[in-house]
């Protein structure tokens, strides 16, 4: 596992975007799996800007969304669906057949997870980009998550239910989610875990230097064969080594 440190959020975001662009250059049919949330926002902005400016051919790339809140409409500005559509897919005009997003309003979330799971089995994931929750979650793989499945339905931790309110303009009931699971994270050919800001410093220290334990799901990145943790100096502040 590489630890890559950047002086601030902007430098971190530019480096993440560059990795995404280079990934497409080396494999034009790259399968991405992308997190939503505040952390990757600027990286996606830079990514969109770079691929357009450098006229990179991304028409054969496939994109998976990392997770979704169950019960939240794809049109809700707080949904992962909306976030990735507005910040990546629409600006790049990605074809629908190259996009796999969970439908938070699906009447049958199990079938929805099966659909995404089959697509992962068919395509494989080349590059997965994840943020990290204050409780160490990756996607919606909360403390105590199962590792066995590709995709799963999860009961959201109380920390996630509370912190998740920041994405919505009014209070929301956030009880359950669908997520690409830790098995798929470990199987992805390359994984990037990104974090910025001092509020992530303690969980980043545990992730990198703590014992591997499912009580802090992000520690399983230590088992990944090809992973980088990309953080700004503030998020790196509690690292001992
Ligand atoms: C979002 C996701 C979450 C976030 C994490 C950090 O798709 O999977 O695990 O990455 O909660 O969120 P931010 O980046 O908003 O701090």
């Amino acid at each position: 596992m590489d630890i890559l440190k950047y002086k601030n959020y902007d430098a971190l975001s530019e480096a993440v975007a560059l990795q995404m662009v280079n990934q497409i250059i080396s494999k034009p049919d790259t399968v991405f799996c992308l997190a939503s949330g505040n952390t990757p926002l600027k990286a996606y902005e830079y990514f969109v800007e770079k691929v357009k400016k450098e006229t990179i051919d991304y028409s054969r790339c496939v994109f998976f969304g990392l997770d979704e809140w169950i019960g939240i409409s794809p049109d809700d500005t707080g949904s992962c669906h909306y976030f990735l559509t507005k910040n990546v897919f629409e600006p790049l005009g990605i074809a629908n057949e190259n996009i796999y997003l969970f439908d938070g309003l699906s009447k049958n979330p199990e079938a929805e997870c099966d659909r995404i799971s089959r697509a992962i089995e068919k395509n494989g994931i080349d590059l997965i980009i994840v943020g990290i929750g204050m409780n160490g979650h990756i996607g919606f793989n909360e403390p105590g998550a199962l590792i066995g499945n590709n995709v799963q339905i999860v009961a959201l931790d109380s920390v996630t239910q509370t912190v998740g309110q920041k994405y919505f303009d009014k209070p929301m009931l956030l009880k359950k989610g669908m997520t690409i699971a830790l098995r798929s994270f470990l199987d992805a050919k390359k994984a990037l875990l990104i974090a910025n800001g001092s509020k992530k410093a303690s969980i980043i220290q545990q992730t990198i230097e703590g014992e591997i334990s499912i009580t802090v799901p992000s520690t399983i990145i230590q088992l990944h064969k090809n992973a980088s943790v990309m953080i700004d100096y503030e998020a790196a502040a509690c690292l001992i080594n």
Side-chain angles (χ1 to χ4, degrees):
M1 176 177 63
D2 297 329
I3 317 296
L4 306 170
K5 299 177 194 164
Y6 301 89
K7 68 173 188 293
N8 54 32
Y9 178 57
D10 196 64
L12 163 69
S13 303
E14 214 169 342
V16 173
L18 189 63
Q19 290 236 16
M20 294 174 78
V21 170
N22 287 341
Q23 171 67 37
I24 301 178
I25 293 171
S26 66
K27 187 172 184 286
D29 59 349
T30 287
V31 179
F32 288 96
C33 179
L34 302 180
S36 311
N38 293 342
T39 313
L41 185 58
K42 193 142 208 176
Y44 298 159
E45 264 174 46
Y46 277 127
F47 171 63
V48 167
E49 196 182 296
K50 274 180 199 290
V51 287
K52 283 185 170 171
K53 197 163 136 209
E54 295 167 28
T55 56
I56 306 285
D57 179 8
Y58 50 83
S59 60
R60 290 164 59 207
C61 293
V62 169
F63 296 86
F64 283 87
L66 181 60
D67 45 16
E68 190 56 278
W69 314 98
I70 290 184
I72 301 294
S73 162
D75 299 329
D76 192 305
T77 53
S79 72
C80 302
H81 197 295
Y82 185 92
F83 175 93
L84 288 173
T85 302
K86 285 295 162 197
N87 293 300
V88 183
F89 306 146
E90 262 181 23
L92 291 180
I94 304 293
N96 278 341
E97 64 262 30
N98 292 343
I99 298 174
Y100 293 92
L101 290 170
F102 292 101
D103 177 0
L105 283 189
S106 168
K107 296 219 164 50
N108 188 344
E110 283 82 11
E112 187 60 359
C113 287
D114 283 350
R115 177 179 75 87
I116 300 287
S117 181
R118 281 195 302 275
I120 289 180
E121 270 162 30
K122 183 171 158 233
N123 291 280
I125 295 172
D126 293 303
L127 179 61
I128 187 164
I129 300 182
V130 300
I132 183 169
M134 299 300 289
N135 59 0
H137 75 196
I138 286 185
F140 283 152
N141 296 285
E142 304 285 23
L146 302 171
I147 300 196
N149 303 335
N150 277 340
V151 177
Q152 60 202 12
I153 295 177
V154 290
L156 298 172
D157 191 72
S158 60
V159 176
T160 306
Q161 293 183 30
T162 308
V163 176
Q165 300 298 328
K166 71 181 175 180
Y167 305 118
F168 298 91
D169 43 24
K170 57 178 195 296
M172 286 292 196
L173 200 61
L174 304 171
K175 289 282 183 203
K176 283 179 152 192
M178 291 178 269
T179 188
I180 303 288
L182 295 174
R183 175 78 271 141
S184 305
F185 175 75
L186 286 173
D187 287 347
K189 293 199 185 93
K190 169 90 192 161
L192 304 182
L193 186 154
I194 63 177
N196 69 289
S198 53
K199 65 180 187 304
K200 297 281 173 77
S202 166
I203 194 66
I204 282 294
Q205 191 276 332
Q206 290 178 60
T207 300
I208 297 174
E209 297 177 340
E211 228 176 80
I212 300 171
S213 158
I214 203 59
T215 55
V216 183
S218 51
T219 56
I220 73 135
I221 196 170
Q222 296 179 34
L223 300 173
H224 199 289
K225 292 194 188 74
N226 186 16
S228 299
V229 178
M230 301 177 74
I231 46 183
D232 69 357
Y233 287 170
E234 285 184 359
C238 292
L239 291 176
I240 296 158
N241 297 306

